[in-house]
Amino acid sequence: MSELYVSSRKEQFGERMFNFLITNIPSHTIRQWWLRYFGATLGTGSSIMMGSTVFGLHRLRIGNNVSIGFSVLLDARGGITIDDDVVIASDVQIITAQHTVNSDDFHVTLGPVHIQHHAWVASRAMVLQNVTIGVGAVVGAASLVRTDVGELEIAAGIPAKARGTRKSTLDYHPTFRPLLY
């Protein structure tokens, strides 16, 4: 996807107010209401902790029982879809836009990120555009994900590479909503 990202003035207002003010309010209910009102889709039982930054509200789709940690960057301008029962740990960055290095006009390209159900992205990992993280996959802490991660695959490193296979029945639903976070 290499389209120009366009957002309405309402979405721009909602995004800026969220990123500078609402993200710091210690209430899951207020933060989620704000994101939904300005175009994001969030499922039930999900949480986004304080200090997170969101771009591209109307292209952000979060399923049920998703736990998103503190200070996460969700750059959804190219589209982010997070399926049910996913854990995104603190300080993770998901980036769906990039500049073309040799472009005379600093051209921006967009590409989606899809994180499938029961995946776990550990702290300080970075996931770049045009990536799918498979069902039940794990991305290790401080990893850089530039290519797809397969189902139940454990990927880590810079760049992230397959390091093993997860052995889990994936029979859990992470509903983490601590008070005043």
Side-chain angles (χ1 to χ4, degrees):
M1 179 192 307
S2 184
E3 64 190 61
L4 179 64
Y5 175 75
V6 179
S7 61
S8 69
R9 292 179 71 69
K10 174 185 173 184
E11 182 183 5
Q12 291 173 28
F13 172 78
E15 186 176 282
R16 281 152 186 83
M17 290 300 294
F18 180 83
N19 293 334
F20 294 117
L21 179 66
I22 305 301
T23 191
N24 297 309
I25 296 174
S27 168
H28 295 284
T29 303
I30 292 171
R31 288 192 305 272
Q32 290 182 346
W33 176 87
W34 190 272
L35 291 171
R36 285 182 182 113
Y37 182 79
F38 287 97
T41 301
L42 285 91
T44 60
S46 292
S47 62
I48 298 177
M49 299 298 165
M50 293 173 56
S52 293
T53 301
V54 181
F55 299 116
L57 297 177
H58 71 277
R59 292 187 178 176
L60 178 62
R61 305 283 176 259
I62 297 173
N64 299 321
N65 305 314
V66 172
S67 178
I68 297 176
F70 297 97
S71 300
V72 170
L73 170 63
L74 299 172
D75 171 7
R77 292 173 294 172
I80 293 176
T81 301
I82 302 173
D83 293 347
D84 298 343
D85 304 310
V86 168
V87 174
I88 307 287
S90 295
D91 297 311
V92 167
Q93 296 184 355
I94 302 173
I95 301 172
T96 65
Q98 71 177 7
H99 291 282
T100 305
V101 174
N102 294 317
S103 170
D104 292 336
D105 65 354
F106 210 50
H107 179 73
V108 174
T109 59
L110 304 172
V113 169
H114 184 188
I115 302 176
Q116 296 179 338
H117 71 87
H118 289 92
W120 168 24
V121 181
S123 295
R124 297 202 173 186
M126 179 181 289
V127 180
L128 300 181
Q129 70 183 88
N130 297 316
V131 165
T132 296
I133 296 176
V135 173
V138 176
V139 173
S143 295
L144 173 62
V145 182
R146 300 185 320 192
T147 59
D148 292 350
V149 178
E151 184 174 320
L152 295 172
E153 186 174 282
I154 300 169
I158 300 175
K161 296 179 183 172
R163 307 291 180 180
T165 302
R166 187 177 189 188
K167 293 167 182 53
S168 172
T169 61
L170 305 177
D171 187 25
Y172 59 87
H173 308 285
T175 53
F176 184 64
R177 290 180 67 127
L179 184 63
L180 300 177
Y181 284 98

